[in-house]
Amino acid sequence: MYEDHPGSMPAYDDYVADRMMKPEYRRLKIGLDRMERTVLKIAAGHGFTSRGQALAELDEVLKKLQEIEMQAENIEDSLVWEHVVDRVDELVGIRRHLVAEIRWEVQADQNCKATP
């Protein structure tokens, strides 16, 4: 086991990091990094934007992640493919959680409106 990061495999991590810098995978890496930043930005501050805007942005994220997953189908290197699919799955999970959270907030607002 690697002592600094229990559970990680440095040879695998180094291999994938190196391969993702190659021109044939660079576009996928940029797309994944961009979607990660977007999702984290929404998670950190969705209270500062309208809920409708946050949901629209999350809808776009889903479309982009689906495009990345489709591009990943052409990857012949199984380790790189696994890495891309795992990152997509992770981002989809975070996105799904955010959508549920925002929907709960919208529903709570609708149920708690004061009646005149």
Side-chain angles (χ1 to χ4, degrees), residues 29-113:
K29 181 183 181 344
I30 291 169
L32 286 166
D33 291 346
R34 185 175 293 147
M35 291 303 99
E36 181 176 9
R37 283 191 306 273
T38 301
V39 167
L40 294 177
K41 181 183 97 183
I42 293 168
H46 73 79
F48 301 109
T49 62
S50 75
R51 292 180 181 111
Q53 177 65 29
L55 288 173
E57 288 181 31
L58 289 168
D59 188 47
E60 272 305 303
V61 166
L62 180 60
K63 290 175 187 173
K64 296 290 185 185
L65 289 172
Q66 288 171 337
E67 289 175 16
I68 291 170
E69 192 169 28
M70 292 300 292
Q71 292 172 3
E73 292 301 318
N74 297 323
I75 297 174
E76 293 181 14
D77 185 320
S78 62
L79 295 177
V80 174
W81 175 82
E82 180 180 26
H83 171 77
V84 171
V85 171
D86 285 349
R87 281 199 63 196
V88 167
D89 287 345
E90 178 182 321
L91 292 171
V92 165
I94 295 168
R95 181 207 160 274
R96 185 178 300 121
H97 173 75
L98 289 172
V99 168
E101 225 177 77
I102 294 168
R103 286 185 176 179
W104 274 103
E105 289 175 7
V106 168
Q107 187 175 6
D109 286 351
Q110 290 171 349
N111 292 337
C112 294
K113 286 186 179 178

Side-chain angles (χ1 to χ4, degrees), residues 2 9-21:
Y2 190 59
M9 300 177 355
Y12 169 81
D13 294 340
D14 291 344
Y15 174 81
V16 170
D18 182 55
R19 295 293 293 177
M20 291 301 286
M21 296 306 289

